[in-house]
Amino acid sequence: MSEKPYTLILGTKNWSSWSLRAWMVVRRSHVVFDEQVIQLRTEGLTETLGEISPSSLVPVLKHGDEMIWDSLAIAEYMAEQCPSAQLWPAGRKARALARSVSAEMHAGFHPLRKYCPMDFLETGLSYENAESVARNVARIIDIWDMCRNRYADEGAYLFGQWSIADAMYAPVVSRFRTYDIPLKGVAADYAAMMWDDPDMQVWRKECEEERQSF
């Protein structure tokens, strides 16, 4: 493992779903890292982000003189840097499936993103375009059911043990709570477990502290 310092640049924790994903991965990598939080939805944000991120987006991971942007790229980088953390499943088939469902989340589910943006601390919010959101929700439930049914004997996460795939879907767990999207069965059990995950609860506490400071 490299001894170069890690710095993770994040957006407002209550709102930045991609920051949550990268943060969870870096924490699970068991490295010491500093955080820099950029307050979103403020005047001059575009210029601020342009100075720290090649894409003018967060999150960004700085590792010594290297810079990695995009949550999935950060996840892959940390998996390479910290193989002992086992951020992807060990088995080839499980690893391929985990990468597939992670990439699907990374690239898709646009109605859910647009009409149900992450607001980690809120509950009971309403949303528009219910039909398109419902299609996204149904697909996510299918993914969770498939993964949990295949790997239930190996642990409580999507692939038994925690993996990058769980980080990719962690903001969805938050969204389902915020917008009162009903779940049942395997999906409900998984969402409840993820909400109680220690890292999720640390993030929640930091969202509460952040709200008081901004």
Side-chain angles (χ1 to χ4, degrees):
M1 185 184 300
S2 173
E3 297 300 323
K4 294 184 293 184
Y6 292 88
T7 299
L8 185 60
I9 304 174
L10 309 166
T12 305
K13 291 187 172 182
N14 195 50
W15 299 327
S16 183
S17 59
W18 290 107
S19 293
L20 170 56
R21 294 178 173 105
W23 178 88
M24 291 189 80
V25 170
V26 176
R27 276 181 66 90
R28 293 280 180 158
S29 302
H30 308 301
V31 298
V32 176
F33 67 100
D34 293 324
E35 293 182 25
Q36 179 182 348
V37 178
I38 305 299
Q39 187 176 0
L40 305 180
R41 306 179 188 178
T42 58
E43 186 177 351
L45 177 63
T46 300
E47 291 77 10
T48 299
L49 291 177
E51 294 174 356
I52 62 174
S53 170
S55 64
S56 296
L57 298 170
V58 285
V60 174
L61 178 67
K62 293 183 177 180
H63 183 210
D65 59 358
E66 298 178 78
M67 182 178 292
I68 306 93
W69 60 97
D70 181 275
S71 293
L72 195 53
I74 292 170
E76 291 284 11
Y77 183 80
M78 296 309 301
E80 292 178 354
Q81 287 290 121
C82 307
S84 63
Q86 297 182 315
L87 299 177
W88 288 117
R92 179 180 59 82
K93 290 183 178 179
R95 192 164 58 251
L97 180 57
R99 281 195 166 106
S100 294
V101 300
S102 296
E104 183 173 351
M105 171 51 67
H106 185 267
F109 302 104
H110 299 295
L112 183 67
R113 298 185 198 284
K114 180 176 181 179
Y115 298 110
C116 301
M118 191 174 88
D119 199 333
F120 200 88
L121 295 177
E122 292 297 330
T123 58
L125 298 186
S126 59
Y127 58 93
E128 299 177 353
N129 287 61
E131 185 175 345
S132 62
V133 170
R135 287 194 294 269
N136 281 182
V137 171
R139 174 55 186 157
I140 291 168
I141 291 172
D142 285 347
I143 290 171
W144 290 0
D145 285 349
M146 172 184 62
C147 295
R148 291 300 305 127
N149 287 331
R150 290 190 188 185
Y151 298 98
D153 292 341
E154 299 180 30
Y157 293 98
L158 289 177
F159 292 87
Q161 301 303 304
W162 190 93
S163 74
I164 289 167
D166 296 291
M168 293 300 291
Y169 285 87
V172 173
V173 172
S174 164
R175 284 180 165 103
F176 286 176
R177 291 177 63 89
T178 295
Y179 297 94
D180 290 337
I181 294 173
L183 301 171
K184 60 182 180 180
V186 171
D189 292 342
Y190 173 72
M193 183 279 300
M194 276 296 294
W195 183 253
D196 290 335
D197 177 85
D199 287 340
M200 287 283 277
Q201 290 306 304
V202 170
W203 185 268
R204 178 184 180 183
K205 180 181 178 181
E206 292 179 356
C207 285
E208 291 169 346
E209 293 171 352
E210 175 185 78
R211 175 178 283 181
Q212 294 174 1
S213 64
F214 284 164

